[in-house]
Amino acid sequence: MITPVTIVLLVIATAGMVLGEEQCAANINNDAVIKSCCCLGFNNTNFNANSPGVYTIGNFGGRKCSKTKVYCDTTSGGGGWLVIQRRQDGSVDFNRDWVDYEDGFGSLTGEFWYGLRAIHTFTKKGQWELRIDYTSAGRKGYLSYGDFQVGPATEDYPLFISEFDGVTSDPFSTHPLNGAKFTTRDRDNDVWQNGGNTDNNCAVHLPPGNAGGFWYQACSHIFPNSYDPGFGIFIDEQSYFATFMELKIRPKDCTV
């Protein structure tokens, strides 16, 4: 039985923190407050000095004295990535309601979903890119998108994604997802009609069942939040049953 894990996504108000306290240089320890994951050495010869792990970002959402914990990937594709989702062993139940997907759940060092509210906060300013790393049949692969943004709660967190660059077909292209609203089992924002039936929520009915929350539009062929022990994580309709998956974002101007 899958046991939910208490969310470790924490936004902490710290009265003594002011602008300028964040560090942005090589050889940063995990106790330091940084401006972004880019500060850990993106495309810098010293970036390996900062290992992947949990770090603290300051001035979260542009607010002074506000910090949040994130997991930074310092190695994939040059580093600088802020991980927003990870699936690897089925230890966390992703078949959840809207409020959980909005707030975030899981453990930053294990399986987790970072939270729609926080993802919107990060991507509402500037230009961001998305990378999806996965392992399927023992082989690693990735998908990347040069433009990624999540809209506000008032619009049900719409997805804006484009500029695909990957070694396989684009699973988001089956049903174009630009503008697609987020759907969960208890809030159906997709446009699938299911022949006019009232039972038409993609988050509930996509294979292999209980697909979890995501941007589905008319039921897309990428289900990174679905998990079944017999199938792994179903990515698209071709051949990708992943046993590991990470979604991560970074600013397009990510530099040290």
Side-chain angles (χ1 to χ4, degrees):
M1 180 177 179
I2 295 175
T3 303
V5 180
T6 303
I7 181 63
V8 299
L9 174 59
L10 301 174
V11 179
I12 307 170
T14 306
M17 179 181 167
V18 295
L19 282 170
E21 285 188 355
E22 305 95 328
Q23 300 183 42
C24 200
N27 298 308
I28 294 174
N29 62 52
N30 292 77
D31 296 325
V33 179
I34 60 176
K35 292 181 180 179
S36 74
C37 291
C38 297
C39 293
L40 301 175
F42 172 66
N43 276 347
N44 184 298
T45 56
N46 293 323
F47 79 87
N48 282 324
N50 299 304
S51 60
V54 178
Y55 292 85
T56 301
I57 288 181
N59 291 329
F60 177 66
R63 301 188 302 274
K64 295 182 180 180
C65 306
S66 182
K67 299 187 290 184
T68 188
K69 296 284 188 180
V70 300
Y71 190 97
C72 295
D73 176 354
T74 61
T75 58
S76 302
W81 298 101
L82 187 160
V83 180
I84 60 174
Q85 183 259 27
R86 183 186 302 116
R87 306 302 311 282
Q88 61 189 13
D89 54 21
S91 61
V92 175
D93 185 3
F94 275 62
N95 186 27
R96 293 174 178 250
D97 293 340
W98 179 268
V99 65
D100 288 333
Y101 273 96
E102 187 170 49
D103 294 341
F105 55 85
S107 168
L108 290 176
T109 57
E111 292 197 329
F112 72 95
W113 171 261
Y114 197 70
L116 290 165
R117 185 181 292 110
I119 298 171
H120 164 66
T121 298
F122 278 115
T123 63
K124 68 181 179 181
K125 293 183 179 180
Q127 293 181 299
W128 291 73
E129 54 186 332
L130 169 73
R131 179 182 173 105
I132 303 174
D133 284 303
Y134 63 90
T135 301
S136 175
R139 292 179 294 183
K140 295 182 179 181
Y142 75 93
L143 308 169
S144 64
Y145 299 84
D147 187 47
F148 174 83
Q149 184 183 34
V150 173
T154 54
E155 299 173 13
D156 295 318
Y157 299 106
L159 171 70
F160 300 97
I161 186 169
S162 61
E163 300 180 20
F164 172 72
D165 179 19
V167 296
T168 184
S169 61
D170 179 8
F172 285 96
S173 67
T174 306
H175 300 286
L177 296 187
N178 270 335
K181 297 180 179 181
F182 201 85
T183 285
T184 57
R185 64 185 183 183
D186 64 327
R187 186 175 297 192
D188 184 4
N189 289 317
D190 61 57
V191 298
W192 181 45
Q193 296 301 312
N194 192 21
N197 296 326
T198 57
D199 197 12
N200 57 6
N201 187 328
C202 295
V204 176
H205 293 285
L206 280 174
N210 297 324
F214 203 63
W215 298 275
Y216 289 115
Q217 199 74 314
C219 294
S220 62
H221 290 121
I222 177 167
F223 321 124
N225 292 330
S226 176
Y227 187 86
D228 184 286
F231 295 97
I233 306 163
F234 189 57
I235 301 178
D236 67 19
E237 63 181 347
Q238 296 185 28
S239 59
Y240 305 106
F241 293 90
T243 55
F244 172 84
M245 183 181 293
E246 274 189 350
L247 276 63
K248 57 201 72 176
I249 59 175
R250 73 182 178 196
K252 294 189 75 171
D253 61 352
C254 189
T255 57
V256 182

